[in-house]
Amino acid sequence: MSTPENRPAYSRRGTTGEGRALLEVEGLSFAYDTEPVLAVDGLSIHTGDVAVLTGHNGSGKTTLLKVLNGLLSPSEGVVRLWGESIATGRGRSLLRSRSVLVHQRPYLFHESVEANIRYVVKLREPGARDIDARIAESLAAVRLEGFAHRRATGLSGGEKQRVAIARALAVRPELLLLDEPTSNIDPESIRAIEGALGETNRRGTTIVITTHNVATAYRLATSVYPMEAGRMHGDRNAVFRGDVEQTDEYFTYFRVDGGSVIRTPAQSGHAVAAVIPMDDIIVSTEPLRSSAQNHFRGRVAAVEPYEGGRRVDVDCNGVIMPALVTPYAVEQLGLRPGAEVHLAFKASAVRLY
Amino acid sequence: MGDALLEAGTLILSGDRELFAIALNSVHFSVFSTLITSAISIPAGTLIALKTFPGRQVLVSALNTLMALPTVVVGLLVYSFLSRSGPLGHWGLLFTPAAIIVGQAVLALPIVTSLVYGGLSRIDAELSETLVTFGASPVQMLFKILSEARIAILSAVLSGFGRVIGEVGISMMLGGNIRWYTRTMTTALALETQKGAFALALALGMILIIIAFGVNAALNWMVRREYA
């Protein structure tokens, strides 16, 4: 179950929120010897989600990922996959037949790229007849066409990471877990990996990624979970998916999918997500006359406790914009569902990824 | 000495029958003893590397110490078992090729076991986790881990071969340096040198060095091919 405290606020691409979660975590803790390194009360990931765990080294994200893949057994708590605890035989066999974890420094077998992929497909599906097609397909997904006969261990760091991801894609997992897939590698490999993961997700694979690369996180995520000292927090950013529409002398105009335009300082390049700290969105009952370049009008859809404050979700022509305010402000402005409000934030508060 | 060197070259190039019979004996004994050792050491080293059990660290330290086992001590030990009054005396193995092979196998055992263990324990933890995440069974994991460590295992075996083909003590004490029977390159070399027959000694020395060099070159070639 997602607790209201950590459920991310923003619009998601997946078929989220409805039905049974694909992956659920409850009351999880993990300790090395007696040193506790992980304490996650609840987390639920639905089919089609791209959940991104962010945080510094030692924040517990790799440990959590390994617990989710059954490579580490939690000291307490339960991980459920399609409702089955992965500590049971049934749950374990679901995990081993439908999920794969890719390590931060992946281990590639000392053989050709093709043999690496062939071996794991045969492990999963001894009778598979379309292995050659899968090898070609998964290498194309990470843009390594023509690498089939190269020695896997002689490749560059970025190429190795792409081969490891191709190898994981070849078994067609329904749940793909990746530990820092884009750290310490070249920009071309980062683009190839992000492209492959985005495409895989569009075809229905649920993905959980750890990363400290903020750009990767916001380009791919349907939900971001910051982690600190083994605990999971709610993201304090509002994320909007869309496209850059145009750029003039002063501003770049980012068109949110299905809705309004957000102004940001003029910048070049492509972007798929606009990210705004929820604390920087000002809620008012009257239109503001200020330096803020982004103004929206809408109705309050929900007010919920969030990360020690109140999150006010405002429906602005179909796009939900969340603002983080104090409980006092909720009282003072009379913010309750249905109330008409104005939102404002500075162009410079917006980051494009 | 210059004359002896020339004569040694002639012995080798003319394919001297006795010289090559001795060399063949040596290779023959060493290959057999290395095979016997490998059959025990590869499974043993694998077990020590992949399983945890009480006394494992002590065992590893003991193996490391035994790597420096002097050949004459092994010779003495095996001799006491195989001599007429020893527990296995009735087998009548003393001063036969079999005795040399047994002695050499004992000598190489801790070396190969320890090196197999070392090679397998240096393998990344990520390998096991990768195999687990893709759903490999314990048997499939074992085979893949051994296959990934193949160069380390091969180099352990070749180190064992290198140790036994160059040893004198065991061949001398257990084989007795019997002409056309248990005479090896090292025992012949020692004897010929004492007799002052430097030509044959030098020829044997050259062949020994060529074999050692060949084994090393083959190993290097494989390592470079593997990690290129």
Side-chain angles (χ1 to χ4, degrees):
Chain A
M1 264 176 296
S2 269
T3 57
E5 264 69 32
N6 72 16
R7 172 189 254 135
Y10 38 88
S11 63
R12 312 200 222 180
R13 274 183 285 140
T15 55
T16 56
E18 314 304 325
R20 162 165 265 171
L22 182 149
L23 188 65
E24 278 173 298
V25 166
E26 226 177 272
L28 199 70
S29 70
F30 183 86
Y32 284 110
D33 296 322
T34 53
E35 187 77 21
V37 291
L38 196 63
V40 176
D41 300 336
L43 168 68
S44 67
I45 293 166
H46 292 79
T47 304
D49 281 0
V50 180
V52 179
L53 310 171
T54 61
H56 298 292
N57 291 337
S59 59
K61 51 194 201 301
T62 298
T63 305
L64 176 58
L65 206 65
K66 288 191 176 182
V67 169
L68 293 181
N69 197 236
L71 296 175
L72 294 174
S73 299
S75 318
E76 275 174 62
V78 61
V79 176
R80 282 194 208 91
L81 193 61
W82 288 288
E84 296 278 350
S85 163
I86 62 166
T88 66
R90 229 179 105 75
R92 186 54 58 122
S93 81
L94 276 175
L95 186 68
R96 293 291 167 248
S97 58
R98 303 200 197 172
S99 163
V100 169
L101 179 143
V102 179
H103 288 90
Q104 176 171 10
R105 284 179 51 249
Y107 187 98
L108 298 179
F109 308 126
H110 291 75
E111 50 198 9
S112 70
V113 167
E114 179 188 42
N116 262 273
I117 301 174
R118 188 178 300 278
Y119 175 77
V120 297
V121 175
K122 280 186 171 167
L123 274 186
R124 278 286 167 98
E125 296 167 59
R129 286 156 176 270
D130 57 343
I131 298 184
D132 290 326
R134 290 209 205 178
I135 292 169
E137 204 175 279
S138 58
L139 285 178
V142 295
R143 291 197 246 136
L144 285 182
E145 297 95 339
F147 273 64
H149 300 290
R150 297 274 293 272
R151 281 200 72 76
T153 40
L155 302 175
S156 76
E159 287 163 351
K160 280 184 188 165
Q161 185 65 258
R162 283 150 80 182
V163 169
I165 289 170
R167 184 172 68 177
L169 294 179
V171 301
R172 299 188 175 149
E174 288 171 62
L175 173 63
L176 180 57
L177 308 168
L178 303 115
D179 193 10
E180 297 279 3
T182 59
S183 42
N184 303 319
I185 60 173
D186 57 291
E188 188 200 329
S189 290
I190 292 180
R191 277 194 299 277
I193 288 169
E194 288 183 0
L197 296 181
E199 182 55 34
T200 305
N201 176 246
R202 278 188 287 281
R203 290 187 190 173
T205 300
T206 306
I207 300 178
V208 182
I209 303 175
T210 72
T211 187
H212 58 253
N213 184 334
V214 180
T216 292
Y218 286 112
R219 274 197 291 262
L220 291 175
T222 54
S223 35
V224 172
Y225 299 93
M227 288 190 71
E228 210 184 298
R231 294 187 173 275
M232 193 173 271
H233 298 276
D235 193 11
R236 299 182 78 91
N237 288 321
V239 181
F240 301 97
R241 308 225 143 254
D243 262 315
V244 171
E245 196 170 68
Q246 57 161 314
T247 296
D248 64 20
E249 199 181 337
Y250 303 106
F251 299 110
T252 287
Y253 300 86
F254 183 87
R255 165 79 65 184
V256 177
D257 286 344
S260 358
V261 170
I262 292 173
R263 289 178 178 190
T264 74
Q267 54 197 284
S268 60
H270 171 75
V272 296
V275 176
I276 307 153
M278 283 190 250
D279 307 80
D280 289 353
I281 301 179
I282 294 168
V283 185
S284 59
T285 47
E286 302 282 328
L288 283 186
R289 236 178 98 78
S290 73
S291 65
Q293 292 300 325
N294 290 290
H295 296 273
F296 297 96
R297 209 169 107 182
R299 285 185 185 282
V300 174
V303 180
E304 282 179 22
Y306 191 84
E307 290 296 302
R310 295 287 180 273
R311 197 185 73 219
V312 181
D313 290 344
V314 180
D315 184 340
C316 304
N317 289 323
V319 174
I320 297 287
M321 293 205 168
L324 208 52
V325 300
T326 57
Y328 180 77
V330 172
E331 284 299 313
Q332 188 193 33
L333 298 178
L335 301 176
R336 60 183 69 85
E340 188 168 307
V341 292
H342 296 262
L343 299 179
F345 50 91
K346 298 171 70 153
S348 59
V350 184
R351 297 268 172 282
L352 294 185
Y353 294 106
Chain B
M1 203 67 189
D3 289 349
L5 206 59
L6 199 68
E7 212 182 313
T10 316
L11 276 175
I12 294 175
L13 294 177
S14 68
D16 181 81
R17 192 165 150 257
E18 179 157 19
L19 173 71
F20 281 95
I22 294 170
L24 213 65
N25 252 1
S26 270
V27 172
H28 192 172
F29 300 162
S30 302
V31 165
F32 266 95
S33 56
T34 308
L35 282 178
I36 293 171
T37 297
S38 303
I40 302 167
S41 289
I42 295 173
T46 306
L47 199 73
I48 301 169
L50 303 184
K51 288 271 170 209
T52 43
F53 50 87
R56 177 170 154 217
Q57 265 321 307
V58 177
L59 185 59
V60 170
S61 309
L63 284 172
N64 283 331
T65 312
L66 289 175
M67 281 176 86
L69 205 58
T71 55
V72 284
V73 173
V74 176
L76 176 65
L77 195 79
V78 178
Y79 188 99
S80 64
F81 274 85
L82 298 184
S83 71
R84 206 155 286 283
S85 55
L88 303 177
H90 58 280
W91 287 4
L93 288 183
L94 200 58
F95 305 128
T96 67
I100 297 180
I101 290 170
V102 169
Q104 290 185 339
V106 172
L107 178 69
L109 205 68
I111 298 173
V112 180
T113 308
S114 188
L115 292 178
V116 166
Y117 159 80
L120 284 172
S121 51
R122 270 195 302 279
I123 279 205
D124 284 359
E126 270 80 14
L127 171 57
S128 318
E129 288 195 347
T130 301
L131 293 170
V132 169
T133 196
F134 280 107
S137 70
V139 174
Q140 288 170 322
M141 279 181 70
L142 179 66
F143 277 104
K144 195 63 180 174
I145 289 171
L146 288 177
S147 144
E148 286 298 294
R150 59 192 179 261
I151 294 295
I153 291 171
L154 200 63
S155 92
V157 169
L158 290 180
S159 299
F161 179 82
R163 178 76 178 107
V164 296
I165 199 160
E167 69 79 29
V168 201
I170 291 168
S171 302
M172 194 69 97
M173 291 170 77
L174 300 176
N177 193 27
I178 303 166
R179 197 176 178 195
W180 301 110
Y181 187 47
T182 57
R183 182 164 293 179
T184 66
M185 285 192 280
T186 53
T187 56
L189 202 153
L191 182 80
E192 298 303 313
T193 305
Q194 272 188 338
K195 284 183 1 197
F198 291 118
L200 184 57
L202 275 173
L204 287 164
M206 285 177 198
I207 295 178
L208 263 176
I209 288 171
I210 289 167
I211 290 175
F213 179 80
V215 166
N216 259 307
L219 189 61
N220 270 323
W221 177 76
M222 281 183 291
V223 170
R224 256 184 290 124
R225 187 171 151 268
E226 187 78 3
Y227 298 102

